């Protein structure tokens, strides 16, 4: 399982109807989701960009070049890559909207937005080394382009700079913001540790990974930083602690929903959209949610799936197709769709708890209209980000 | 060049007289330096230990095991290694003494001491990967024992935890402490980047590494964290900003002196003490201070050395011995001794500027006696740490 892929949200993945397979289509995959969501992401990226460029520019030139490559701003060698493979900037957007939704100017969230984006980039660089993933956003991963040692170093530089930018943010709640980021960092690293350890465990029996253990890993590895992004926006925007905590919880649910969708795409995603071979996660023997849910079902298909996974070393195309059908038959696909839906619903519900302004009942104040708009934008963004499944 | 080796200060390296070679001795190398310094290091380690154990204990169990191995507390597999290969704890000691020397109880410095020790361990783990160093303190490096990916992850976990411990420290100067640690972290990573980039540069000509460029690298890579350790102790101990800055400068000079000694040992150190082959840095083609100073000399020996380094790929035993003699003849050994002496003197002088209590003129106050003692202990420790050269 890879970390939340930032390029994936750009494309609507044709997963087909319940139980169906990816439909055959003549044209290329569809372009990004709603124009409003794309414009929203762009607006927030534009707002954060100067500070992000500045933070990367303060790195040693060599690590800065690797960081720019990792961010999709430049080719190997540092040549700007204007139509390159930049991520969508989901985390920076959540930070900016988190501040706006609590009635502040999005500008106050910029150090938080920079921090979460740098942490995300750090985690991609290091995770690709740990997972031996040679490709990231259809280009060689940083460690493939520059070497493993330099890739480690560039990640370290990004992490150090992330904390620095936030620690140097003005305002009296900087300490709280840094502690929040630290918690997310620890969760992120723990989640990666859990994920790597899953590889050693059996498919079946008492040592098997249970779906709820997978969920805990995903909350750490994917949910924590999304929750932190919203929380940092709210903290820097001056929100009360309770609002901060509620927004953080919403972001964590979003992360769980996102991970479930990512796992669906890992088995049934269209290679033209995901950039990976069909049934990629099954071929690589990854213990992802659909497979674990299917195995936990205990029925005939689950037993056949378990025996199949136990018996083969490398899973080739035909076996992968059969395994995918067994996962589906054992309820892995439906269960994962339900997981995604459940956490998207929880994310949206939690968001409304934190931000009643989205429904027009925010306490009066100068930023009330803007805050209400931001709350509605967040809600729409949540839905948009999950729009790849249904 | 490796980062400051924490095991090395334990042993007095027989460098011989000026221009001489390591003397042949019948017995094993001498044991640790002054008993007072050893007792001081032990006292500070004991003081910090519970918090350090707690911080490592809060990691994911797997990264915690790797961290304990990296700290020399446990064997591979997590079995405690009581007489193991633990570092001397120079950085945690500097933090504790930094607080005591400004009149505070050393206990206030503990979060800072834990942070710098964890950052140091992080840097050893990742630097060993980048430098492909398979051994650390005579055992397999973490990446050799656990794999590269897990080694990267354990380093990340240590770094995240380091910042967390400090960010959660009580008191109103935590933010200042975190910012100070962040600056040191950025310097550390930049220093490692500079060092790795030196490898690509020629021995001679306009692109050659100049001694002052090497010094800048060493200040970042080795000096910054030693300076930070003292500064954190002083900040958490409530010292005025000016005292903090002066102590930080003293620590940076100490780091430069330490690096110079390390470089002398890298060429002329006794393999029984250093654990490396004789002339190790020359055999590995490392661009360290003695060699760069010798090459910059411009005389006949420097020219012969440059031609030799340019002409050979791998330097074997006999060639390394000849190269070492040329470095010596071109003033590389004397110049590096002078560099070490100069920075040790500067470190002690700067320490006295910051802490007049060491000379008995500290302003009156309840902790005056303890502060004066700590200032003198720091001064003695500085000298002890460099005691390997002369």
């Amino acid at each position: 399982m890879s970390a939340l892929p930032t390029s994936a949200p750009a494309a609507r993945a044709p997963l087909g109807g319940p139980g169906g397979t990816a439909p055959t289509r003549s044209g290329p995959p569809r372009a990004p989701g709603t124009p409003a969501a794309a414009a929203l992401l762009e607006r927030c990226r534009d707002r954060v960009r100067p500070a992000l460029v500045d933070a990367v520019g303060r790195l040693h030139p060599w690590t800065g070049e690797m960081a720019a490559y990792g961010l999709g701003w430049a080719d190997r060698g540092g040549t700007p890559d204007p139509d390159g493979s930049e991520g969508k900037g989901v985390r920076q957007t959540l930070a900016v909207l988190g501040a706006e939704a609590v009635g502040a100017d999005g500008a106050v969230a910029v150090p938080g937005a920079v921090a979460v984006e740098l942490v995300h980039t750090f985690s991609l660089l290091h995770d690709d080394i740990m997972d031996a993933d040679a490709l990231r956003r259809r280009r060689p991963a940083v460690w493939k382009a520059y070497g493993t040692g330099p890739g480690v170093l560039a990640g370290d530089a990004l992490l150090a700079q992330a904390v620095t930018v936030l620690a140097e943010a003005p305002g009296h709640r900087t300490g709280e913001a840094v502690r929040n980021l630290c918690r997310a960092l620890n969760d992120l690293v723990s989640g990666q540790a859990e994920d790597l350890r899953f590889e050693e465990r059996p498919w079946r029996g008492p040592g098997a990974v249970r779906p709820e253990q997978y969920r805990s890993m995903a909350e750490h590895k994917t949910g924590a930083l999304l929750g932190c992004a919203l929380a940092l926006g709210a903290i820097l925007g001056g929100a009360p602690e309770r609002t901060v905590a509620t927004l953080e919880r919403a972001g964590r649910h979003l992360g769980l929903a996102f991970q479930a969708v990512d796992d669906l795409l890992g088995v049934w995603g269209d290679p033209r959209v995901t950039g990976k071979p069909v049934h990629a996660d099954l071929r690589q023997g990854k213990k992802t949610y659909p497979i674990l849910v299917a195995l936990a079902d205990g029925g005939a298909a689950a037993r056949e799936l378990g025996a199949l996974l136990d018996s083969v070393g490398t899973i080739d195309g035909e076996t992968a197709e059969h395994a995918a059908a067994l996962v589906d038959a054992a309820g892995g696909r439906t269960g994962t769709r339900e997981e995604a839906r459940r956490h998207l619903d929880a994310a949206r519900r939690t968001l409304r708890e934190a931000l009643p302004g989205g429904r027009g009942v925010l306490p009066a104040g100068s930023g009330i209209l803007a805050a209400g708009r931001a709350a509605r934008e967040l809600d729409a963004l949540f839905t948009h980000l999950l729009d790849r499944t249904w």
Side-chain angles (χ1 to χ4, degrees), chain A residues 4 58 107 116 121 128 139 162 169 192 251 297 308 335 343 347 352 360 370 381 383:
Chain A
L4 201 58
R58 269 182 281 137
V116 290
T121 312
D128 283 347
R139 297 187 310 167
Q192 175 69 1
D297 173 74
L308 188 150
H343 285 290
R352 285 194 298 273
L381 182 67
T383 309

Side-chain angles (χ1 to χ4, degrees), chain A residues 44-58 71 73 92 107 109-115 117-118 161 165:
Chain A
C44 294
R45 280 201 309 272
D46 285 350
R47 178 138 220 181
V48 177
R49 177 59 55 94
L52 197 52
V53 168
D54 182 61
V56 172
R58 269 182 281 137
L71 283 156
W73 296 351
Q92 56 190 303
V110 167
V114 170
E117 213 58 38
L118 293 179
Q161 188 67 341
V165 168

Side-chain angles (χ1 to χ4, degrees), chain A residues 353-365:
Chain A
E353 265 177 51
L355 305 169
R359 292 180 301 181
V361 293
L362 195 78

Side-chain angles (χ1 to χ4, degrees), chain A residues 298-334:
Chain A
R303 288 195 300 278
E304 190 186 340
L305 177 66
L308 188 150
L309 292 170
D310 270 350
S311 66
V312 291
T314 318
I315 297 182
D316 64 14
E318 211 167 303
T319 314
E321 190 165 345
H322 181 52
L326 289 171
V327 172
D328 202 345
R333 192 174 195 173
T334 312

Side-chain angles (χ1 to χ4, degrees), chain A residues 93-346:
Chain A
T93 298
L94 291 177
V96 170
L97 290 180
E100 289 179 352
V102 300
D105 188 313
V108 301
V110 167
V114 170
V116 290
E117 213 58 38
L118 293 179
V119 166
H120 176 56
T121 312
F122 140 80
S123 79
L124 297 183
L125 263 61
H126 280 193
D127 285 4
D128 283 347
I129 293 170
M130 295 177 220
D131 303 337
D133 278 336
L135 283 178
R136 166 70 57 186
R137 294 181 195 138
R138 297 164 201 268
R139 297 187 310 167
V142 169
W143 69 274
K144 265 287 174 190
Y146 288 89
T148 300
V152 173
L153 182 70
D156 293 345
L158 286 162
L159 178 50
Q161 188 67 341
V163 184
T164 304
V165 168
L166 192 61
E168 289 178 350
H172 66 287
R173 290 181 68 183
T174 305
E176 188 185 342
V178 169
R179 286 188 291 278
N180 196 296
L181 182 70
C182 283
R183 280 197 297 277
L185 267 176
N186 282 292
D187 277 355
L188 188 79
V189 175
S190 292
Q192 175 69 1
E194 291 166 57
D195 198 16
L196 288 176
R197 296 302 275 175
F198 286 172
E199 287 175 17
E200 320 278 313
R201 290 167 64 176
W203 288 106
R204 297 187 291 179
V209 180
R210 297 191 302 276
E212 66 270 24
Q213 292 175 322
Y214 183 86
R215 190 182 296 125
S216 165
M217 177 283 293
E219 181 175 345
H220 293 145
K221 183 164 165 166
T222 306
L225 193 60
L226 294 178
C228 175
L230 277 171
L232 292 185
I235 292 168
L236 298 171
E241 266 182 50
R242 190 176 166 165
T243 306
V244 171
T246 312
L247 278 176
E248 184 170 336
R249 216 163 57 240
R252 286 186 170 235
H253 280 301
L254 178 70
L256 284 166
F258 206 112
Q259 188 59 57
V261 173
D262 205 47
D263 288 351
L264 287 167
L265 292 171
V267 180
W268 295 281
D270 182 341
R272 294 172 303 169
V273 177
T274 63
K276 298 181 198 171
V278 68
H279 309 130
D281 286 354
L282 278 166
R283 287 165 189 259
Q284 291 182 52
K286 289 189 177 175
K287 295 190 176 69
T288 67
Y289 195 81
I291 302 158
L292 299 174
V293 163
L295 289 169
D297 173 74
R303 288 195 300 278
E304 190 186 340
L305 177 66
L308 188 150
L309 292 170
D310 270 350
S311 66
V312 291
T314 318
I315 297 182
D316 64 14
E318 211 167 303
T319 314
E321 190 165 345
H322 181 52
L326 289 171
V327 172
D328 202 345
R333 192 174 195 173
T334 312
T336 307
R337 279 213 182 89
E338 282 165 6
E339 172 83 357
R341 164 63 66 193
R342 192 163 50 240
H343 285 290
L344 176 60
D345 289 348

Side-chain angles (χ1 to χ4, degrees), chain A residues 56-83:
Chain A
V56 172
R58 269 182 281 137
L59 301 177
H60 181 279
W62 186 41
T63 50
E65 180 189 315
M66 290 189 275
Y69 177 88
L71 283 156
W73 296 351
D75 280 344
R76 167 141 178 48
T79 311
D81 185 10
D83 60 355

